[in-house]
Amino acid sequence: MNRFQALLKRELKTSQKDMTTYALVIVLILFGFETLQSLIARYTHEMFPLEVYSEMFPNFLLIGGFIVTSLMFAEDMFGKNTQHDWLMLPATNLEKFASKAVLVTIAYPIALALLFFLTSLVTEPIQLLFFGNPMALFNPFKDKDIWMLLAQYWVWNSVFLLGATYFHKVHFIKTVLAIGVIGLALSGLALLFARILFAIRFGSQVQMFDAFSYLDARYVEQTLTSLKIYLVIGRILYYAVLPVFCMITAYFRVEEVQATDAV
Amino acid sequence: MIQTTHAEIEVSDTVVRMQDIGFSYGSKALFSHLDLEIQRGNIYGLLGKNGAGKTTLLKILSGQLFPQEGSTTVLGDNPTRRRPSLLQEIFYLPEEFPLPKMKASEYLKMRSPFYPRFDHTQFAAFCKDFDVDLNQRLDQMSLGQKKKVLLSFGLASNTALLILDEPTNGLDIPSKRQFRQTVASAMTENRTFIISTHQVRDMENLIDPIIILHDGSVIFNDAVASVSDKYVLNLTTKEPDMATAMYVEKVLGGWMVLSERSEESEGQPLDLETLFNVVIEKGKGGVR
């Protein structure tokens, strides 16, 4: 067994109990929700909704995934009595970071999809037997937006990964707050930038929202065509540069972590 | 050629070299210009008052803390880099630690692959000596039992450097004896132990040389014999002459007096507790 495999095994073994509990909670929620929907459908004589799993999957992928990611480094990097074990583990900092990053970035979505499928495999025949509902097995690839969802998960998971290594406590909430503050600051900057552009184009006397009335459809189309390159740049920045930047910064945080960080 | 070989051996015999170390927690300085050398093949005892910085020193030399000043070399490598090649030669047993919720045997399977020279037969033998049940869950064990598991693991990992922070805390009386016997039996000329402790009586006849940490620096780093050869400890019922005595301690029924050894002087062997008190009282270089 090589070191990276040993690290992955360690991660899985040490979080086995928590992950099993989390999986059970998901199964119970799905089963409970399905049953509730069936009961409502039966007594209101409405159609039973077939999209329960597809509607729930993004919530558990995004919210659940980000919480799991936020907690990934809590004990190993910042636990006063636990961090020595991780710091003294004979593996490179990159291997230690990558083992956790791989689990939350790749293994978590796969495991969650599998859990949803297996839950539907057990739940659906029961629902059919007791309520006569049609079988609706979970298939993540049925939904065309799955790749977009996974892309969003990839981007925002890297941000939460950085938050997990940056903040010492309450990682998830602090990351959400930090995103909020950065979002507000960027919105302010964008507003300022737009105001300047509009002032240049229409004169400083025109209010920004009034400026929209000057825009005809042809002008908008022309403008958007010229903005396409910026759109591509924006996508590259959003889907590639931002996550890679967050991952690299998170790795450097792992490299510089010391026992004092737990004090 | 012979000189070169000798020099190489000398270099490789130094397991830890700390030079001019400065370290502080915030504005509170802990170490200032601290120097320390640790030679291979010894069981060092690290002594110091509460808050002297024993655990901090161990964390610096194991790469868990980075000094603000100075340089540290452990087995020829910089511990702050935390390279696997160095980490697999160091086993660190902290004073307090939680262990994962699993059986000792599962823990063994999970951790042993990280140590290339881990010996499973040795581990089983050490566990048997310590009377540890490998099928018991670690989270259901007492602190003493957990320490025995980790000690067995550390000894069986065959690392060149073992750092034990208060290893006898939580051990019952027979286990303390077993600890001394096991550590002594696991000792080889290629291994080095650094044992930080307040329980000097538990470590009597095991740790030597002694490192004493006081006021931010190492004030003593020598064998007990180096002091015993120069000084003699006597129990007297008469009030001693303070001018000639190196150290005086009032004990039940008289005084314990440390004085310079002469040709005909006879006295008690110097115990670690007295050595520590003498060194601390006399300060830097007082008894050397």
Side-chain angles (χ1 to χ4, degrees):
Chain A
M1 189 192 300
N2 69 28
R3 253 190 342 241
F4 190 69
Q5 285 175 322
L7 277 168
L8 287 175
K9 191 180 168 188
R10 176 190 176 273
E11 291 296 334
L12 293 172
K13 283 293 280 182
T14 49
S15 58
Q16 193 176 17
K17 200 177 175 185
D18 294 335
M19 282 295 127
T20 309
T21 311
Y22 178 54
L24 273 175
V25 169
I26 293 175
V27 171
L28 286 175
I29 289 174
L30 287 176
F31 187 78
F33 200 71
E34 275 272 310
T35 311
L36 194 70
Q37 292 273 29
S38 300
L39 285 170
I40 291 169
R42 169 171 274 202
Y43 291 108
T44 56
H45 304 289
E46 284 177 2
M47 278 286 289
F48 177 77
L50 298 174
E51 307 299 326
V52 173
Y53 300 108
S54 308
E55 282 170 7
M56 299 275 259
F57 184 73
N59 297 328
F60 282 106
L61 178 71
L62 300 178
I63 300 169
F66 298 156
I67 292 172
V68 170
T69 302
S70 297
L71 295 171
M72 207 61 188
F73 291 88
E75 285 300 312
D76 284 338
M77 263 178 84
F78 306 112
K80 195 176 178 182
N81 293 325
T82 47
Q83 66 172 181
H84 84 272
D85 187 68
W86 197 60
L87 293 176
M88 296 304 296
L89 206 59
T92 62
N93 291 318
L94 183 63
E95 286 167 339
K96 288 176 189 176
F97 171 74
S99 64
K100 286 177 184 287
V102 162
L103 284 178
V104 290
T105 312
I106 300 166
Y108 178 78
I110 295 170
L112 188 71
L114 203 63
L115 181 71
F116 264 63
F117 174 73
L118 292 175
T119 307
S120 70
L121 206 63
V122 175
T123 308
E124 288 305 304
I126 296 172
Q127 301 290 332
L128 178 68
L129 201 67
F130 285 92
F131 301 103
N133 292 335
M135 288 273 280
L137 293 179
F138 173 68
N139 178 6
F141 302 106
K142 202 173 73 180
D143 193 345
K144 283 175 187 166
D145 293 334
I146 184 72
W147 297 112
M148 181 51 74
L149 183 69
L150 288 174
Q152 296 298 338
Y153 178 74
W154 151 252
V155 173
W156 289 101
N157 187 60
S158 68
V159 176
F160 280 89
L161 204 64
L162 175 59
T165 58
Y166 190 81
F167 299 114
H168 289 199
K169 285 176 183 172
V170 213
H171 311 80
F172 178 70
I173 294 170
K174 282 183 179 173
T175 309
V176 170
L177 289 173
I179 291 168
V181 170
I182 293 168
L184 279 173
L186 287 178
S187 305
L189 276 175
L191 201 67
L192 191 71
F193 185 66
R195 183 70 187 88
I196 293 165
L197 276 185
F198 272 77
I200 292 167
R201 178 69 183 80
F202 301 105
S204 59
Q205 296 306 308
V206 179
Q207 289 299 307
M208 187 158 59
F209 294 105
D210 296 341
F212 283 109
S213 58
Y214 287 80
L215 301 174
D216 60 29
R218 204 181 58 189
Y219 181 77
V220 169
E221 200 183 324
Q222 205 178 21
T223 310
L224 286 179
T225 313
S226 65
L227 281 176
K228 256 185 182 171
I229 184 69
Y230 296 106
L231 211 63
V232 172
I233 292 170
R235 277 188 181 150
I236 291 169
L237 284 173
Y238 180 75
Y239 289 110
V241 178
L242 174 67
V244 171
F245 169 79
C246 289
M247 291 268 188
I248 291 171
T249 314
Y251 162 68
F252 282 123
R253 282 286 301 152
V254 169
E255 194 155 67
E256 69 188 20
V257 71
Q258 291 184 62
T260 36
D261 288 353
V263 175
Chain B
M1 186 67 187
I2 293 168
Q3 278 179 338
T4 311
T5 312
H6 182 68
E8 278 170 6
I9 290 167
E10 270 189 357
V11 168
S12 62
D13 274 354
T14 302
V15 177
V16 176
R17 179 172 285 134
M18 300 175 96
Q19 287 175 312
D20 212 18
I21 295 295
F23 185 85
S24 57
Y25 285 110
S27 58
K28 191 191 164 203
L30 188 62
F31 301 140
S32 174
H33 306 292
L34 181 142
D35 296 313
L36 175 67
E37 270 200 19
I38 287 175
Q39 303 297 319
R40 188 185 301 273
N42 291 299
I43 303 177
Y44 279 82
L46 177 62
L47 311 181
K49 287 181 179 175
N50 292 329
K54 297 186 293 296
T55 302
T56 303
L57 185 80
L58 297 180
K59 283 185 174 173
I60 289 174
L61 64 86
S62 62
Q64 294 179 66
L65 281 175
F66 305 159
Q68 283 111 22
E69 289 167 24
S71 68
T72 308
T73 312
V74 177
L75 297 161
D77 201 351
N78 179 356
T80 61
R81 299 262 174 98
R82 293 201 278 255
R83 287 195 184 96
S85 55
L86 177 63
L87 291 174
Q88 64 196 19
E89 291 298 339
I90 303 175
F91 183 81
Y92 183 95
L93 173 67
E95 187 180 359
E96 287 174 23
F97 52 87
L99 284 174
K101 294 168 184 170
M102 60 178 69
K103 286 180 184 174
S105 53
E106 291 173 319
Y107 181 79
L108 174 72
K109 274 185 201 165
M110 187 181 81
R111 286 302 296 263
S112 60
F114 290 101
Y115 297 92
R117 290 199 302 278
F118 192 89
D119 188 327
H120 289 265
T121 315
Q122 273 186 345
F123 179 73
F126 290 136
C127 284
K128 196 179 166 198
D129 290 345
F130 278 126
D131 201 19
V132 172
D133 178 10
L134 287 176
N135 289 316
Q136 199 183 340
R137 287 181 65 85
L138 291 169
D139 53 314
Q140 289 167 358
M141 287 182 175
S142 67
L143 175 68
Q145 285 175 306
K146 284 181 195 171
K147 277 206 169 169
K148 288 177 197 174
V149 173
L150 276 196
L151 264 171
S152 305
F153 187 93
L155 295 171
S157 65
N158 285 300
T159 55
L161 178 62
L162 278 106
I163 301 169
L164 313 178
D165 195 355
E166 298 288 356
T168 54
N169 270 8
L171 294 188
D172 54 28
I173 295 164
S175 299
K176 284 178 181 177
R177 192 176 128 262
Q178 187 60 52
F179 166 79
R180 285 192 294 270
Q181 283 180 0
T182 309
V183 168
S185 70
M187 186 61 196
T188 65
E189 60 182 13
N190 292 322
R191 301 188 96 171
T192 308
F193 286 74
I194 305 172
I195 303 177
S196 163
T197 187
H198 286 292
Q199 318 291 329
V200 282
R201 287 184 203 278
D202 294 344
M203 299 293 167
E204 206 86 58
N205 303 322
L206 181 70
I207 50 173
D208 198 9
I210 305 296
I211 300 164
I212 297 178
L213 204 56
H214 187 59
D215 282 343
S217 58
V218 174
I219 59 168
F220 185 87
N221 182 8
D222 216 332
V224 180
S226 70
V227 180
S228 305
D229 290 346
K230 292 178 198 162
Y231 305 97
V232 63
L233 190 69
N234 284 301
L235 189 70
T236 173
T237 49
K238 277 193 247 172
E239 191 167 349
D241 179 7
M242 297 294 181
T244 54
M246 293 292 299
Y247 171 77
V248 177
E249 189 182 322
K250 185 88 176 80
V251 292
L252 200 64
W255 287 267
M256 202 159 61
V257 183
L258 185 83
S259 48
E260 278 192 47
R261 186 181 283 277
S262 58
E263 288 288 316
E264 65 277 5
S265 48
E266 282 179 23
Q268 295 180 358
L270 190 62
D271 63 280
L272 288 177
E273 205 172 295
T274 311
L275 172 75
F276 178 75
N277 286 331
V278 171
V279 174
I280 292 287
E281 194 161 293
K282 291 291 168 188
K284 207 167 186 175
V287 291
R288 297 193 70 180

